[in-house]
Structures are given as C-alpha cells and as structure tokens.
Amino acid sequence: MKVTKYGISDRLPDYTATLKQGVGTTSEAVIDLTGYTVTFTMRNLATGSAVVNAAAATIDSAAAGTVRYAWGASDLATAGTYECFWQITAAGKVRTIPADLTRDQII
C-alpha cells in the first residue's frame, strides 16, 4: 500500500500509479493497458463517501501500465484519510486494481 500526503486544496502533483497484477507474488507483472479505459475512485475512509467517483484517468503508457489522475479543484478540499483505486475496462468487463484491502491511501 502506498501512503501519499497532500495539503488541503493541493492540485499537484497528479496522482500516479503503475498498474500491476499479482502484487507481492513471484508472478507480479505490469498490466498492459492497450485497449482499456481507466477510471480513478477516491473514498473517505471515515464516511465511505466517494469524493472522486470513477473519474476518467489518463493512460501515460499502455505497455508500461502507467496511469495518472489530475486533481479537480474540490477533490482535496477536506482533510481526512482516503482509499484510492483504479478500475480498468475493456469489452464491457471491469477489473479493480488493487482488488483487496491494500488500496492506496491519501492523507
């Protein structure tokens, strides 16, 4: 799990990640995002409310699995701890990255 700290109302840097499967195993590998769309979600851990809900993310390099989300003006307006995850979609099928409770946190 990655823990990232931002100040209230910060907009830089963009939130970035390299999407992988099998994290923490010997079969860990980057996910090739060719043909996928990617969204970003950020939920407040205390309330469960989504502050960012399936917002479009940018694929920087499909082959390298790198993505980013550019913060909106109100995304980081409230102090708190948030869980973040990505969803990739191809041919109408959705996969959540990461799929377990090791989701990234923003404080």
Side-chain angles (χ1 to χ4, degrees):
M1 171 178 38
K2 175 173 85 174
V3 175
T4 307
K5 295 185 179 188
Y6 287 89
I8 293 174
S9 298
D10 281 358
R11 300 217 31 214
L12 292 173
D14 290 348
Y15 192 73
T16 61
T18 299
L19 303 187
K20 298 179 180 181
Q21 58 191 353
V23 174
T25 70
T26 57
S27 62
E28 183 174 315
V30 167
I31 299 171
D32 184 339
L33 298 172
T34 302
Y36 285 87
T37 59
V38 180
T39 61
F40 174 78
T41 297
M42 181 176 82
R43 284 194 284 233
N44 185 303
L45 281 176
T47 66
S49 297
V51 175
V52 179
N53 191 14
T58 301
I59 298 172
D60 287 327
S61 171
T66 56
V67 295
R68 67 183 158 89
Y69 174 73
W71 297 112
S74 62
D75 291 346
L76 298 173
T78 304
T81 302
Y82 300 85
E83 71 169 349
C84 304
F85 58 92
W86 307 88
Q87 289 187 306
I88 60 174
T89 304
K93 296 180 181 176
V94 178
R95 180 175 177 187
T96 301
I97 310 294
D100 58 20
L101 296 178
T102 63
R103 294 177 176 166
D104 295 344
Q105 292 187 356
I106 293 179
I107 300 172

